[in-house]
Amino acid sequence: PALSPDGHQVAFIALNALWLMPVGGTPRKLLQAEPVHHVQMPTWAPDGRSLLYCTDRGGLTAVRRLHLEGGDDEPVTGGGRLHPALSPDGSLLACQDIKGNLLLHDLATGTERVLARPLATDGPPGAPTWSPDGRYLAFCDRNRLNRRFREGYHLIRVIDTRTGTDRRHLPAAHQSLSDRAAAGPVWSPDGRHMALVAESALWLLPVAPDGTPAGPARRLTEEPADHPSWARDSRRLLYLSEGRLRLLSLDEDPEAERPRTLPTSLTVRRTKPGARRLRIHAGQLWDATGPEPRHDVDILIDDGRITAVEPHRPRRPGHRTIDVSAQTVVPGLIDSHTHPYSATYGARHSLTALAYGITTTVCLGASLYEAVRLRESLASGRSTGPRLLACAELIDGSRTAYSMGRAHRTRVGLERTLRRAAALDVDFVKTYVRAPGDFMARATEVAHRLGVPSGSHLCAPGRAAGQDLTTHLQATQRLPHGHATTPLGHVHQDVVQQYADGTFGLIATPFTAQALLADDPALADDARVRSLMPPWDVAAVRERAGTPPTPRQRQALATEIGNYRRLTAGGAVLALGTDAPLVPAGLSLHLALRALHAHGFTPAQALRTVTTTPARLFGRHNDLGTVKPGRLADLTVIDGDPFTDFSTLVRTTLVLRDGIPHRPRDLTGVHPPAPRAAARD
C-alpha cells in the first residue's frame, strides 16, 4: 500500500486490481487486470495527481502511469522495469531492471543509465526511495560477510546520483533490516528520518541529508509491521500489520503515538464460467487410488467438485460433455516447491505451470503479503493459474541471503514474524539456514497450532526441532550434522532411518534432471516454452536442449534418483518439487518425473509424487490428489498413454482447476511466441 502525499488516500493492490481508498472511506477500483496479467507495485507521483504501477500486459513487467483526473493510462518504460519511484521534482524515475540493477530514467528524454548494480545475487534489492533534494537514492541491499557463506545483512545502501558513489549503513550494530521486500527503508519527505522494519517492528532512524545515520533508531511499534510509506508532512506513516492497514501519527511525545486501523472491507465470490454440471468422458483414467488406469469412464462435476466417477454412458442429461475419449486423465499435478517471483515474471509463472497440467503450486518462501495476495487472486479467479499454498518469508537468524529471507537477532522479533504469519493463515512455515534450533522449534509450534506443516533444509536437526519435512534431500547447510548426502551425492543408512517411519517427509528437487532436455530437444520448441516463458528461461531451456549431458551429469542424476528409490523402499514419504523459478516452471516438473521413471519408478509411483503424496503432506488430501467423489475437480488431460509411453505425460491438452477448463493452446496465445530455435546440424 502507498499513502498519498496529502495523507488523505491509500492506493493498494488486491484481487489483481488497483484500488484507491480515502482514509476512513470505501475502496474504489481504478483498474482490473486481465486474469492472464498481473498489476502490482503502486506508488504516488510527488504531486499526488497520478499513480505509477507495474503490469506485464505488454509481455514483461513495465511501469505505467494512471492519471487520476481523466483516467489516462500511459506507458512510462519498456518491459523489464519494476519498483518505480519518481524524484521529488517528478523529472526522473528510479526503478530496477530484471537483474536488480538500479536505473535512472529521464522522463523528458527517455534516456536511461545504470546507477548501481546489486551487491547480492539471491533475489533483487528493495525498492528505491529518494532524498528530498533529489540527490540521493536509498534502498535495501545485502552484503556478504565472508567467502565461506553467502549470508550477510539486509542493509541500507545510499547512492549519490551525481557521482555514483555509495555508502552502506545498518540501523544498529549487527542489526539487519527484516528483508529486502517489505522492510524499507523509506526516506521521510523532510529528509530527517528513514522508516524501516527490523525484527519485524517499525523503526524511525534519524539521518543526515546524505542518508548517514545521525543517531540511534527509535522503535515505533510493538506489533508486526511491513511496507511503510509517508505522507508529505513527514508526520503520518502508513504500514501493514497482521493484514490490517495501520496509520500512525508521529507526536512530540512518543507516548501519545497510537496507530489506528483503516478498515478495508473487500469481499469476493468466485464466479465459475460455463455450465455448472460437466461430464468428462475419459478414454483412460488414472484416479490415483490404485496402480492401474481405468478405461471408458465418465467423471461428473457439479460446481467445481467431482460428484461421481462411473462407467461411460452415451447420455448424461443435464451435463455438458467434454469428450476426451481418446486421451488419458490424471489428477491435477502438484508442484511441491516453488517461489512466486511475480515482480519479474508477472503472471507467466502461473500460466506456464497451468499449461503443463499443474493445478496446485506450493510456495516454500516469499514475501508474506505477496504470497497471500496471489493466493487470494488465484482463488477468486481474478488471476489465472494453479491454486497457491502460501508461505511467508524464510525464517532465518541474524544473517541471511535471499531477498525474502527474514532476519532475526531476537526472540521477540521471531514472535512478531510468527504473529503475522499466523494472522494471514499461511499454509506452510519454513525456517532457513541460520535459524537457531530454538527458533526452528518455536516456528514449528506455531505451524502446528495453525494445522499446517513446517520444514527446512535440515534433516536430523529439523526432525529434532519437531518439523515435518525437508524441502530438499540436500541443500545449503550451516551444520555438519545437517548434511544428508556424501560429497559424491550418496545417502547412508542413518538418513534412510530418518525418513523410514513415514512421519517425516521429503520434497525432492532433482535439479540434475535438467540434463534430460538434451534427450528430447523438441521440448525446447514447445509453444509453452516459446510463448509463456520469459526470454531468460527460453534461452536456458534452449541451451540445455542443445548441450548433451556429460557422463558425470548422467551419473549424478542416476545417483540422486537412486537415493530416492532407496528412501521410498525404506518407507519415506516422497513428494516432487522444482524450486521454480530457479529452474523453469512447469517443464521442470515433467523433467523430474521423467528422471524418476527412467531410473526405476513405475508410472504410478512417479505420478503419486505429484498427486496423492503432496496432497496428504500438506493436509489437502480431502480435496486434492485423487479423482474421487467429493474431491475438487482438478484434472489433467494427456494426449497419450503415460502408462505405456511415459514421455507422453508432457502432452497436456486440457487442464481443469476447480472444474474450470483451461486449454494450453489458449494460454499460449496470451503473448507472442519467441522465434523458433535455429535448426542444429
Side-chain angles (χ1 to χ4, degrees):
L3 186 62
S4 63
D6 62 11
H8 295 161
Q9 302 182 90
V10 181
F12 62 86
I13 304 294
L15 301 170
N16 207 21
L18 174 61
W19 301 80
L20 188 62
M21 185 182 77
V23 170
T26 302
R28 174 172 62 94
K29 188 186 296 186
L30 296 179
L31 64 88
Q32 177 75 56
E34 293 295 321
V36 293
H37 304 302
H38 283 172
V39 60
Q40 51 190 329
M41 305 175 200
T43 184
W44 288 88
D47 62 7
R49 299 173 61 184
S50 61
L51 281 164
L52 280 75
Y53 69 96
C54 290
T55 179
D56 60 322
R57 73 189 193 209
L60 292 176
T61 303
V63 181
R64 297 185 66 89
R65 187 200 294 255
L66 179 66
H67 295 271
L68 298 180
E69 292 181 15
D72 291 340
D73 188 354
E74 61 186 9
V76 178
T77 71
R81 301 294 181 264
L82 46 143
H83 291 307
L86 277 176
S87 61
D89 65 3
S91 66
L92 298 172
L93 176 74
C95 60
Q96 289 177 11
D97 66 12
I98 296 297
K99 295 181 179 180
N101 295 314
L102 178 64
L103 309 177
L104 209 53
H105 184 99
D106 189 308
L107 296 183
T109 65
T111 58
E112 197 173 73
R113 62 187 174 99
V114 175
L115 194 61
R117 303 191 186 280
L119 303 175
T121 57
D122 303 298
T129 181
W130 287 90
S131 64
D133 62 5
R135 176 167 179 173
Y136 298 96
L137 279 163
F139 58 97
C140 184
D141 209 340
R142 193 263 295 162
N143 62 355
R144 181 173 180 170
L145 294 179
N146 59 56
R147 298 186 63 82
R148 184 180 178 196
F149 297 107
R150 60 183 176 172
E151 293 87 15
Y153 296 127
H154 298 307
L155 49 75
I156 300 167
R157 189 175 175 197
V158 182
I159 308 292
D160 187 329
T161 62
R162 297 180 189 173
T163 66
T165 57
D166 76 337
R167 293 185 179 182
R168 305 165 192 179
H169 311 289
L170 293 175
H174 307 293
Q175 178 63 66
S176 178
L177 276 67
S178 283
D179 58 48
R180 302 200 296 275
V186 186
W187 219 315
S188 64
D190 65 8
R192 296 173 57 202
H193 297 92
M194 289 184 188
L196 57 90
V197 176
E199 300 299 318
S200 290
L202 184 62
W203 298 75
L204 199 62
L205 178 69
V207 294
D210 65 356
T212 302
R218 176 166 70 91
R219 182 171 45 76
L220 297 177
T221 68
E222 282 284 359
E223 65 185 0
D226 291 281
H227 294 289
S229 63
W230 289 96
R232 186 188 296 118
D233 60 14
S234 298
R235 295 179 58 83
R236 284 169 289 176
L237 264 172
L238 181 79
Y239 61 96
L240 279 167
S241 181
E242 299 179 81
R244 303 166 299 161
L245 282 171
R246 300 279 276 169
L247 187 62
L248 175 67
S249 295
L250 301 181
D251 197 275
E252 297 282 342
D253 177 10
E255 295 297 323
E257 295 170 352
R258 295 286 186 272
R260 62 186 175 109
T261 298
L262 305 183
T264 311
S265 54
L266 292 179
T267 58
V268 65
R269 182 177 181 181
R270 183 170 191 183
T271 57
K272 297 185 173 72
R276 288 168 59 91
R277 304 183 73 195
L278 188 64
R279 170 174 70 162
I280 307 298
H281 176 199
Q284 180 168 268
L285 166 68
W286 183 70
D287 61 14
T289 64
E292 300 298 328
R294 301 160 61 179
H295 297 88
D296 205 23
V297 173
D298 284 343
I299 306 165
L300 306 184
I301 300 167
D302 191 357
D303 198 25
R305 285 195 181 267
I306 298 168
T307 57
V309 182
E310 300 174 348
H312 173 63
R313 294 204 323 245
R315 292 179 55 80
R316 295 278 185 181
H319 287 80
R320 180 170 70 89
T321 296
I322 296 179
D323 184 6
V324 290
S325 57
Q327 300 178 63
T328 299
V329 178
V330 300
L333 309 183
I334 301 172
D335 186 338
S336 294
H337 191 148
T338 69
H339 300 278
Y341 278 34
S342 62
T344 49
Y345 278 74
R348 287 177 181 266
H349 196 161
S350 295
L351 297 176
T352 307
L354 189 66
Y356 277 99
I358 298 167
T359 56
T360 300
T361 57
V362 182
C363 166
L364 292 190
S367 177
L368 172 62
Y369 287 95
E370 178 71 359
V372 172
R373 182 178 69 80
L374 287 172
R375 180 179 66 182
E376 291 178 347
S377 185
L378 290 161
S380 70
R382 300 303 192 270
S383 293
T384 299
R387 77 176 45 75
L388 178 70
L389 305 188
C391 177
E393 298 85 0
L394 313 173
I395 295 174
D396 221 335
S398 60
R399 303 176 188 177
T400 191
Y402 282 102
S403 56
M404 76 281 199
R406 196 84 171 179
H408 305 88
R409 290 181 65 204
T410 66
R411 182 64 178 256
V412 69
L414 171 71
E415 294 296 338
R416 289 191 193 101
T417 290
L418 293 173
R419 275 178 58 187
R420 58 200 277 284
L424 274 74
D425 197 25
V426 297
D427 300 295
F428 186 75
V429 176
K430 183 175 179 180
T431 63
Y432 208 56
V433 176
R434 300 187 72 88
D438 62 327
F439 282 25
M440 295 170 65
R442 178 60 182 147
T444 301
E445 288 177 12
V446 171
H448 292 170
R449 192 172 70 232
L450 291 173
V452 302
S454 176
S456 67
H457 285 188
L458 300 170
C459 180
R463 184 159 191 170
Q467 293 186 331
D468 303 281
L469 56 85
T470 51
T471 58
H472 307 269
L473 174 59
Q474 177 64 47
T476 310
Q477 304 280 359
R478 78 176 194 279
L479 300 173
H481 66 292
H483 284 260
T485 63
T486 70
L488 293 179
H490 298 279
V491 295
H492 289 315
Q493 187 62 28
D494 60 339
V495 172
V496 175
Q497 289 171 347
Q498 289 288 338
Y499 294 102
D501 63 4
T503 63
F504 190 64
L506 167 62
I507 298 174
T509 53
F511 300 119
T512 54
Q514 296 292 309
L516 295 180
L517 263 170
D519 292 342
D520 190 358
L523 293 172
D525 215 29
D526 190 298
R528 292 169 290 188
V529 173
R530 296 173 56 230
S531 295
L532 294 179
M533 291 186 185
W536 54 91
D537 278 351
V538 174
V541 169
R542 287 179 173 174
E543 180 181 1
R544 291 167 187 155
T547 308
T550 65
R552 184 174 180 178
Q553 287 175 311
R554 289 197 184 276
Q555 181 57 55
L557 175 59
T559 298
E560 182 172 1
I561 307 304
N563 288 335
Y564 301 142
R565 287 183 59 196
R566 183 179 176 190
L567 287 162
T568 53
V573 174
L574 182 74
L576 197 60
T578 60
D579 214 349
L582 296 187
V583 292
L587 174 59
S588 295
L589 192 69
H590 284 273
L591 293 173
L593 285 164
R594 286 188 179 190
L596 295 183
H597 182 252
H599 291 275
F601 284 72
T602 68
Q605 288 172 334
L607 283 167
R608 285 194 189 100
T609 68
V610 293
T611 54
T612 54
T613 300
R616 186 165 295 278
L617 198 59
F618 291 98
R620 302 304 176 100
H621 50 284
N622 290 328
D623 287 325
L624 306 173
T626 54
V627 183
K628 295 169 59 175
R631 301 296 190 264
L632 290 172
D634 279 19
L635 305 170
T636 296
V637 181
I638 301 151
D639 183 20
D641 178 5
F643 288 83
T644 57
D645 181 358
F646 197 73
S647 68
T648 63
L649 183 65
V650 76
R651 286 159 36 184
T652 311
T653 60
L654 180 69
V655 187
L656 282 83
R657 207 210 93 191
D658 288 331
I660 299 174
H662 302 274
R663 296 190 181 276
R665 66 170 180 261
D666 296 330
L667 299 175
T668 56
V670 171
H671 298 295
R676 290 188 176 276
R680 293 181 177 270
D681 293 336

